[in-house]
Amino acid sequence: MQDAQTYAEIAEVVRTYVEGMCQNDAAKLRAALHEKACSIGHFEGGLEWESREGFITLVAEAVKEPDLSPWHVINAISVVGDVATVQVEDIWLGMHYDDTLTLLRHEGRWQIVSKVFFLRPAG
């Protein structure tokens, strides 16, 4: 069983990730995402498979007006040793996503090493 501190640290990384994405804040995204992290999922009929820097570039090109109060909810956190998975819903550019984040505790801190996303259909 993990302690409340572990869950709080993981939730903070998730918040930093969502804020970085919604506010077009590359520094926050780099803090939350490991340098070798990737973002994977289907978007507009194609498969996106972005590196961390590719994802940051995608965000920079897409976000024209930062969302200063982005919405997200963590539905589940599972921790086994130094690995965690997080199910999080968020709204990005008016679209509702379900993200599965894998985090690794490395060099004393949690970082997202992969993100697999599902874009919920409108309606």
Side-chain angles (χ1 to χ4, degrees):
M1 179 131 200
Q2 298 298 316
D3 61 16
Q5 177 69 27
T6 298
Y7 290 100
E9 289 173 5
I10 292 168
E12 178 64 19
V13 172
V14 172
R15 183 188 64 75
T16 300
Y17 150 73
V18 172
E19 286 181 355
M21 183 174 61
C22 293
Q23 296 170 358
N24 188 12
D25 188 327
K28 284 184 178 182
L29 287 171
R30 285 188 181 99
L33 299 166
H34 185 274
E35 67 183 38
K36 293 185 179 180
C38 55
S39 172
I40 307 158
H42 291 105
F43 185 76
E44 295 182 348
L47 177 64
E48 284 190 1
W49 197 303
E50 298 288 345
S51 66
R52 177 181 78 170
E53 294 306 312
F55 178 67
I56 290 170
T57 298
L58 184 147
V59 167
E61 292 171 352
V63 176
K64 302 305 178 205
E65 293 185 33
D67 181 351
L68 300 180
S69 299
W71 178 86
H72 78 283
V73 62
I74 294 174
N75 292 321
I77 297 176
S78 175
V79 180
V80 178
D82 62 358
V83 175
T85 55
V86 179
Q87 294 294 131
V88 60
E89 291 179 56
D90 54 77
I91 304 290
W92 185 63
L93 301 176
M95 296 174 283
H96 192 153
Y97 286 88
D98 286 285
D99 295 340
T100 300
L101 307 175
T102 305
L103 290 83
L104 181 69
R105 184 162 179 84
H106 180 67
E107 296 180 344
R109 66 187 186 105
W110 291 98
Q111 290 182 291
I112 298 167
V113 294
S114 70
K115 163 190 158 176
V116 180
F117 66 86
F118 173 73
L119 174 57
R120 290 186 181 201

